[in-house]
Amino acid sequence: KRRKPKEVDPNQEYTETGRKKRKDAGKARTAPRAWNEEEERLFREALRLYGRSWKECAAHVGTRDQRSFTSHAQKYFIKMCLQGKPLPRKVAESGEGYTLSGKPLDPNSAAARAYGFKPDTLDKLMEAGGLASGSIEVGGDGKLTSGLADGGVGEGADELPVPTSAAAAAANKENLGGPNGETMPGVGREAKPKAKPRRRPKEEPALAEPVEPTEYAKNRPRRENAGKGGKATYQSYMSGGLNQIPCRDFTGVVGSVGTSSQPFFVEISDEAQLVADFHAHLSKYEVIGYLGGEWDPASRRLTIRRAFPCKGLEGTQQTDSCEMDPASEIEAKQKMDDWGLQVVGWYHSHPTFKPNPSEKDIENQENFQALFRDEGTKQEPFVGMIFSPYDVRLPDRESRRETFWVRKGAQGYGEVGPSPMRMRGNRKPIAGAVTEDTKACMRQLVEGNMIQGKVDLTELWRPFTRLNGTTPEGGPVTKLAKMRGALGAYLPETDDSEDFLDDIFKVIQGQKSWGADLGY
């Protein structure tokens, strides 16, 4: 069939090849006009009222057309995703993804990269051995392609079992999979990965050789002569290795006599946990600090009021170990004295793995308990806390934490040596706003020289938001968004809390040493 000849528009200019010329061809295009404060206010208001109804949103602003509005909205959504802020409720009704369509944001897209996404974190975690206790691979579609070698995710006994590839056939029989019964890639059948091959991460400069530990550092962990009156304290039979040992639960009544009972009550303020968790999120290495509070022997109650971050000894900080700097330790204890508090515990982090205490942690805890033993009541009122901020196996953005105490080998419980025991207690919520002292402490962590191995907060933590059973859901989460979700768990749900978090992140962005554009 012969093609119908094109009709020539006498009012239209054409190129030599017969194509229509752009009306603005050869003319200097005007630069896009920046949004003013009033337009920004109307923009956010339109999203709250109309969600993704872009025509109504543009009409609400009045001075912008639909194309301009959607372009601004895409940039706004990407920044919200980077910072971990929730979408307006009306927007989320049409999709939880931080995109114009509502689908999950692709962290590899040019737009996402332009606003700070660096989706190579999982590769770096693998290379650093952060997932040594179990492998988790995530395809480009956000699906788990293999399970964990050591079990689940969660806190305490509420662990989330994830089947391993070795148990694929059995898992398929039990119909483990997505919410609609579909089989997950790598579970119950062989599946070809859909994800595009990742680029090989750039080689990072080799870390400096660890400095020779001081005599203080060599002798400190065991504290052989740290007891009162020069009496030798208990020394562990353990090797001081890094093998992790899950905590066990007490079965008796809290505060009652007997090895099966938790020896004392524990209350910890959310403000103390806020500081310690914030400290843990800032470094790719383990961090360490003290917990200050009071011990009431009459009621057998240990109260933790504040966290006192300490600096790691130069050359000792790694992803799986840390030694406290002696000068920083003295300074922390002096601050505690100024507050009228006593040392009642210590905390440290496991950056990318479970908060189960290692043999070394148990040994240190034993020595601390002996050092702070209450001879009047024969109690050892001292606890350890472990924060796990960036384990990609967490069910959501909230950090997993463990509070533990060491019980000496108990007859009748099959314990040959000391056992880490889970200490349960009450959380004291933050009443109203965070205190100025806590804000100052957090700013000091960012502005000072305490943090070694600073985390790049624009990096991708993982390409999904949460785990629903064994199925990943939601879009990508940066380390900044991960931190915001974790810290928000300690704060009241108010606008003041959101402003507080924004202010802290602006402080980080303002420090050249962090080198981070967080979208503020």
Side-chain angles (χ1 to χ4, degrees):
K1 295 181 180 180
R2 295 182 61 184
R3 292 183 179 179
K4 187 178 180 180
K6 294 182 179 179
E7 295 181 4
V8 178
D9 185 353
N11 298 319
Q12 175 68 51
E13 294 184 20
Y14 295 88
T15 65
E16 294 179 358
T17 59
R19 294 185 178 182
K20 293 181 180 180
K21 276 187 177 181
R22 291 175 57 101
K23 291 183 179 180
D24 58 353
K27 298 179 182 179
R29 300 183 189 178
T30 58
R33 180 171 58 87
W35 288 60
N36 59 40
E37 291 186 8
E38 178 62 14
E39 287 177 324
E40 288 285 1
R41 184 188 68 79
L42 292 171
F43 168 80
R44 292 191 293 270
E45 188 175 79
L47 291 177
R48 289 195 299 270
L49 293 174
Y50 305 108
R52 290 188 172 90
S53 298
W54 306 123
K55 187 175 181 180
E56 287 83 351
C57 286
H60 185 79
V61 174
T63 56
R64 298 283 178 167
D65 59 18
Q66 184 174 333
R67 182 177 180 181
S68 176
F69 190 97
T70 53
S71 176
H72 195 59
Q74 182 62 88
K75 298 172 186 176
Y76 181 71
F77 289 163
I78 292 175
K79 285 188 176 181
M80 290 186 77
C81 184
L82 175 70
Q83 297 168 358
K85 294 182 178 180
L87 290 170
R89 186 175 301 176
K90 190 68 176 177
V91 175
E93 287 179 1
S94 56
E96 295 184 358
Y98 289 80
T99 58
L100 297 179
S101 65
K103 295 180 180 179
L105 176 68
D106 177 9
N108 292 289
S109 66
R113 287 177 178 272
Y115 286 90
F117 274 85
K118 298 179 181 179
D120 58 350
T121 304
L122 290 177
D123 293 319
K124 291 182 178 179
L125 286 178
M126 290 290 190
E127 289 191 349
L131 304 178
S133 60
S135 63
I136 181 171
E137 297 176 6
V138 185
D141 57 355
K143 290 287 187 180
L144 297 177
T145 57
S146 68
L148 308 180
D150 63 345
V153 189
E155 185 160 1
D158 300 323
E159 297 203 337
L160 177 65
V162 181
T164 63
S165 56
N172 192 36
K173 290 181 181 179
E174 295 176 6
N175 194 28
L176 294 176
N180 299 320
E182 71 273 17
T183 306
M184 292 172 56
V187 178
R189 62 179 174 88
E190 293 295 327
K192 295 181 180 180
K194 296 180 180 180
K196 296 180 181 179
R198 299 189 184 97
R199 293 181 181 177
R200 188 172 183 177
K202 296 180 181 179
E203 293 186 4
E204 295 186 355
L207 295 175
E209 289 286 332
V211 298
E212 177 68 20
T214 63
E215 288 302 314
Y216 177 89
K218 292 177 181 177
N219 298 327
R220 179 177 176 272
R222 292 185 181 275
R223 296 184 182 268
E224 296 177 10
N225 298 312
K228 297 180 180 179
K231 295 181 181 179
T233 59
Y234 184 84
Q235 183 174 339
S236 173
Y237 83 101
M238 304 189 82
S239 65
L242 299 178
N243 295 325
Q244 294 184 30
I245 302 175
C247 290
R248 303 179 65 173
D249 287 305
F250 287 105
T251 57
V253 179
V254 178
S256 61
V257 179
T259 56
S260 65
S261 300
Q262 182 172 313
F264 48 85
F265 298 90
V266 177
E267 181 182 80
I268 181 168
S269 72
D270 276 354
E271 206 147 352
Q273 295 192 94
L274 174 71
V275 171
D277 207 354
F278 179 66
H279 189 193
H281 276 86
L282 294 177
S283 177
K284 62 183 178 183
Y285 300 139
E286 285 197 6
V287 300
I288 195 168
Y290 276 130
L291 301 171
E294 299 102 8
W295 161 244
D296 182 4
S299 61
R300 291 193 175 188
R301 180 176 292 274
L302 185 76
T303 304
I304 300 172
R305 299 200 181 279
R306 296 183 62 85
F308 294 84
C310 295
K311 184 179 179 181
L313 187 64
E314 189 94 21
T316 67
Q317 282 192 292
Q318 301 177 32
T319 57
D320 57 3
S321 63
C322 180
E323 179 70 30
M324 191 180 292
D325 182 84
S328 181
E329 179 180 12
I330 294 172
E331 183 180 351
K333 288 182 176 179
Q334 181 59 53
K335 289 180 180 178
M336 242 179 282
D337 290 340
D338 295 341
W339 277 90
L341 303 175
Q342 64 188 85
V343 184
V344 294
W346 68 301
Y347 73 87
H348 71 287
S349 65
H350 287 179
T352 58
F353 50 97
K354 287 184 178 183
N356 295 331
S358 67
E359 292 176 346
K360 187 65 177 176
D361 297 336
I362 295 170
E363 182 180 320
N364 285 339
Q365 177 63 25
E366 283 184 277
N367 292 317
F368 275 129
Q369 287 178 204
L371 177 63
F372 293 97
R373 180 181 174 85
D374 183 350
E375 294 297 338
T377 61
K378 306 300 181 183
Q379 294 290 324
E380 297 178 347
F382 195 94
V383 297
M385 288 196 73
I386 305 175
F387 291 81
S388 176
Y390 292 120
D391 188 342
V392 296
R393 299 163 294 188
L394 294 172
D396 51 35
R397 292 186 297 167
E398 186 173 351
S399 299
R400 187 178 171 187
R401 52 195 175 271
E402 192 76 89
T403 305
F404 73 103
W405 184 85
V406 173
R407 178 172 69 183
K408 307 300 188 294
Q411 296 181 357
Y413 293 90
E415 297 174 12
V416 178
S419 295
M421 306 300 294
R422 182 172 293 110
M423 297 292 282
R424 302 195 182 276
N426 298 326
R427 287 173 57 177
K428 184 179 179 182
I430 296 174
V434 176
T435 64
E436 291 301 321
D437 295 304
T438 294
K439 293 178 182 178
C441 179
M442 296 172 73
R443 284 195 298 268
Q444 185 180 8
L445 277 171
V446 174
E447 297 171 344
N449 63 347
M450 293 184 67
I451 306 301
Q452 300 175 40
K454 294 180 175 65
V455 165
D456 184 347
L457 295 173
T458 64
E459 284 185 335
L460 186 69
W461 171 48
R462 66 184 185 189
F464 56 91
T465 305
R466 57 190 171 274
L467 281 169
N468 181 7
T470 57
T471 303
E473 293 181 344
V477 179
T478 62
K479 290 182 177 178
L480 175 63
K482 163 65 180 71
M483 188 198 294
R484 190 183 196 98
L487 301 185
Y490 306 110
L491 301 171
E493 296 183 5
T494 62
D495 291 340
D496 288 341
S497 296
E498 294 298 320
D499 293 341
F500 159 71
L501 292 175
D502 283 339
D503 290 342
I504 288 295
F505 298 145
K506 287 176 184 176
V507 173
I508 296 176
Q509 179 174 277
Q511 296 297 309
K512 291 184 178 179
S513 61
W514 286 85
D517 181 2
L518 306 181
Y520 288 100

